[in-house]
Amino acid sequence: MKQRFLIILTVIVLLPIKLAAADTLTVEQKLVSEYSRMTVFRNQVWQNAAIRYDQRPFTLTDISVKGLYDQRGNAALAQEGNGKKDFSAEVNSFLVLNQSSRLFGQASYRNGRRKNVVWNENSDYSMLYPYVVGDSIGGFMKEEEYKFSGGYAYRFGKWTAGAEIGYRAVIAYRDKDPRPRNIISDLQASVALARNLNEKYTLGLSVQVRKYNQKSDIKFLADKGSTSVYQMLGLGMDYIRFAGTQTSTRYTGSGIGGSIDLLPVSQNGENNGFSVSLRTDYFHLTKQLSNLDYTPINEIKNIDVSLETAWTRQIREWEYGVHLLAALQQRTGVENIFGEPSGNSYPKLSSIDQFKNTTLKAGLKGRIGQTLDTNCRWGWTLLPSVGYGQTKPEYKSNGRYVEIASASGGLEAQSLWKVSKMLLSASVAGGYTTNVKSEYSLPGLDTQKSAGSALLSNIDYLSDDHASIALKLRGDYVVNKQYALFLSANWLHQEYKNCGGTDRIEVSLGVTF
């Protein structure tokens, strides 16, 4: 795995170096353009591989190594741990091959460790929940992740075609009882088509498919023997029939989705005007017990719908923008009921929709600023924002539910200076999130047991008011016309009313060309 990944990483690094001679812009011009470009104000629309042709008018590649430290204390989900340390290396590249073709790719390696994970021995909790394998002991979790993706866009007349494929592989484990070992493969692919409409807008359509697999095994090697593991069902419930010694599971999933996207035609490298992107994805996941002839005990049906709209305008050195993102997720959990077994085979009798979770998020952001151009040594941007979020998980048979809603507001100030061969950027952001609604009903929950205590701790965290402050610093040193070195540091502190404080620090070192 590592040898294959290094080969792919080397190809992605060397390809843009070979093509760099065809680019007439200096790396300093590219960096200044990247800092001031309004394209970064949009996100979802660039997931369309055909529309990504217009993401930037020049070739750009960056290679970086990163270190991450995240300490959350009590302000964390029990199933995801309360701390993280990561080291990663990453390559991102966007290549303008010629007037008609664009090539883009990404490759990364991450080696990390999460702390104090309980009631979850699997990886990708946000994808698998609530149907994880859990126990009260838990502990740290070591992780290795490999990712790579590549895409191509080709323009012919008023039409643009694009395709992209991405693959992620993860190995997660613990070398202390209980000893899970999770192996993940996650393959995604998309095709897209876009057409220029009256030289003002580009209309695009895309289709995405996904194939997911996670194999998980738990071993106990200590002399004291094994402890019970549980097949969790959500809101403190577990599948009692299969509790105890079922330590091998397999998750298989597949998904399909699509998007319709509208983007202003690029003028001088900027897509100023109104854009909209509507995306929907459906994902189906099955959990199987490997030791019982791969008995499928649970299923997840997940629907995601997201709408992104943005308006941007640039008048000489002044820039303005408004961005709106609204997302809805509907997750249904299915429990399969089985009859008496014949050997390791369990006959399926029926299926019941027991778990349901509806999540809604909406955010509005504004932008006003003055760009840094050839006649200016200083540029600045202000980004005010407001947001709202709501989640309501329910377990139908016993009437358990939790409903939490929160509202937030914040302001970010960014600044960029040009000093000799240095480009210096800094941003400071502050915000506050307040609870709007927090209520729950958990009949029959034993709060003295570990599972019940973890659930209440999660509710306290998700409904807690908190303030946040973030600081980002970056310096780019222009070595010559082709290369620049950069160093960046990001710090985020959150102070919760009841759960205490959190700190997240990330440091990156890299080269851009």
Side-chain angles (χ1 to χ4, degrees):
M1 173 69 76
K2 288 185 178 181
Q3 291 179 339
R4 293 178 185 174
F5 182 78
L6 288 175
I7 293 172
I8 294 171
L9 192 64
T10 302
V11 170
I12 293 176
V13 170
L14 293 180
L15 184 58
I17 293 176
K18 183 177 181 181
L19 297 174
D23 204 322
T24 59
L25 294 179
T26 67
V27 69
E28 181 180 283
Q29 291 172 320
K30 294 178 183 180
L31 287 171
V32 171
S33 178
E34 283 294 293
Y35 279 116
S36 61
R37 288 168 65 244
M38 298 288 278
T39 53
V40 297
F41 204 53
R42 301 176 171 93
N43 295 297
Q44 183 171 296
V45 69
W46 301 119
Q47 296 179 32
N48 183 307
I51 284 184
R52 197 167 177 186
Y53 177 98
D54 290 314
Q55 188 171 12
R56 57 174 60 92
F58 49 79
T59 290
L60 187 69
T61 297
D62 66 77
I63 306 170
S64 63
V65 292
K66 301 178 182 180
L68 171 69
Y69 172 81
D70 190 9
Q71 181 62 46
R72 302 200 60 85
N74 294 326
L77 290 176
Q79 292 85 351
E80 294 186 337
N82 65 359
K84 180 189 295 186
K85 292 180 181 180
D86 277 349
F87 168 81
S88 63
E90 185 173 336
V91 179
N92 287 282
S93 188
F94 184 91
L95 308 180
V96 178
L97 301 180
N98 51 53
Q99 189 174 359
S100 302
S101 303
R102 304 288 189 267
L103 187 67
F104 38 91
Q106 182 265 350
S108 65
Y109 168 76
R110 179 178 64 86
N111 189 309
R113 178 184 175 114
R114 289 187 291 141
K115 296 169 49 180
N116 301 323
V117 181
V118 293
W119 291 107
N120 173 30
E121 297 293 1
N122 298 107
S123 302
D124 290 343
Y125 176 73
S126 62
M127 185 182 301
L128 272 54
Y129 85 92
Y131 300 131
V132 294
V133 179
D135 62 77
S136 60
I137 300 176
F140 63 86
M141 185 76 82
K142 297 180 180 179
E143 299 173 326
E144 282 190 77
E145 180 184 68
Y146 305 82
K147 292 173 64 177
F148 66 87
S149 64
Y152 178 74
Y154 178 75
R155 177 157 292 175
F156 49 102
K158 292 187 176 183
W159 293 88
T160 306
E164 186 172 12
I165 187 168
Y167 181 74
R168 179 175 67 103
V170 180
I171 301 174
Y173 61 95
R174 184 187 305 124
D175 49 16
K176 181 179 179 181
D177 284 8
R179 302 169 187 247
R181 181 177 175 84
N182 306 323
I183 300 176
I184 297 171
S185 62
D186 190 2
L187 177 66
Q188 300 184 59
S190 67
V191 293
L193 192 64
R195 189 181 192 280
N196 187 295
L197 303 177
N198 300 322
E199 304 301 326
K200 293 183 178 180
Y201 287 93
T202 298
L203 178 65
L205 298 173
S206 72
V207 176
Q208 306 91 29
V209 293
R210 185 177 192 177
K211 183 65 178 177
Y212 178 87
N213 185 77
Q214 180 175 162
K215 180 182 177 182
S216 178
D217 294 289
I218 303 174
K219 296 184 182 299
F220 296 87
L221 301 182
D223 294 338
K224 61 183 179 182
S226 63
T227 187
S228 294
V229 296
Y230 301 88
Q231 312 303 322
M232 307 307 295
L233 300 176
L235 295 183
M237 300 293 295
D238 71 278
Y239 209 143
I240 297 176
R241 184 174 187 179
F242 297 110
T245 59
Q246 297 303 321
T247 56
S248 296
T249 55
R250 184 175 71 177
Y251 296 84
T252 59
S254 59
I256 188 170
S259 70
I260 179 170
D261 310 277
L262 186 71
L263 183 73
V265 170
S266 176
Q267 300 290 337
N268 300 319
E270 292 290 347
N271 303 96
N272 285 305
F274 177 77
S275 69
V276 60
S277 174
L278 177 63
R279 180 185 176 106
T280 181
D281 291 280
Y282 174 78
F283 186 71
H284 181 272
L285 186 76
T286 301
K287 176 184 178 180
Q288 301 170 320
L289 298 181
S290 304
N291 293 340
L292 298 181
D293 200 24
Y294 294 98
T295 299
I297 62 171
N298 298 116
E299 297 175 45
I300 291 173
K301 302 173 184 177
N302 197 84
I303 299 174
D304 284 287
V305 180
S306 57
L307 174 68
E308 179 192 67
T309 62
W311 174 83
T312 58
R313 187 176 182 184
Q314 189 165 0
I315 303 175
R316 294 187 295 275
E317 72 274 15
W318 290 92
E319 58 183 19
Y320 311 90
V322 179
H323 177 273
L324 172 66
L325 179 65
L328 173 67
Q329 182 185 85
Q330 182 73 63
R331 172 166 295 207
T332 301
V334 179
E335 295 178 19
N336 295 327
I337 309 302
F338 301 91
E340 292 301 317
S342 175
N344 272 352
S345 178
Y346 281 75
K348 179 179 173 180
L349 301 180
S350 63
S351 298
I352 304 175
D353 292 355
Q354 284 278 40
F355 181 83
K356 180 182 178 182
N357 188 21
T358 302
T359 302
L360 173 66
K361 295 180 181 180
L364 179 65
K365 180 184 292 187
R367 176 173 179 145
I368 182 173
Q370 189 175 24
T371 62
L372 176 68
D373 56 30
T374 55
N375 299 318
C376 182
R377 293 286 176 179
W378 177 62
W380 59 270
T381 306
L382 293 177
L383 297 103
S385 62
V386 292
Y388 175 82
Q390 178 179 312
T391 183
K392 186 178 181 180
E394 305 171 73
Y395 194 84
K396 297 180 181 180
S397 67
N398 60 8
R400 292 186 183 182
Y401 76 92
V402 177
E403 186 170 8
I404 297 172
S406 60
S408 61
L411 177 65
E412 180 179 2
Q414 302 175 344
S415 188
L416 175 66
W417 298 269
K418 182 181 177 182
V419 182
S420 186
K421 290 187 175 183
M422 292 288 295
L423 290 174
L424 304 174
S425 65
S427 75
V428 59
Y432 193 81
T433 300
T434 183
N435 181 260
V436 176
K437 185 176 184 179
S438 178
E439 64 179 43
Y440 58 87
S441 177
L442 303 169
L445 180 71
D446 190 342
T447 59
Q448 301 303 311
K449 290 187 176 180
S450 177
S453 176
L455 175 58
L456 293 180
S457 175
N458 287 347
I459 294 172
D460 290 341
Y461 157 60
L462 293 173
S463 59
D464 199 3
D465 294 356
H466 66 276
S468 64
I469 183 171
L471 180 64
K472 299 179 182 179
L473 302 171
R474 173 166 169 154
D476 291 86
Y477 177 75
V478 179
V479 179
N480 53 39
K481 291 183 178 181
Q482 285 187 296
Y483 298 94
L485 301 176
F486 70 84
L487 175 65
S488 68
N490 302 334
W491 171 64
L492 170 65
H493 177 77
Q494 296 173 306
E495 190 65 36
Y496 286 77
K497 185 176 181 180
N498 299 312
C499 295
T502 75
D503 284 289
R504 178 186 176 93
I505 301 171
E506 183 179 57
V507 178
S508 302
L509 174 66
V511 58
T512 303
F513 53 92

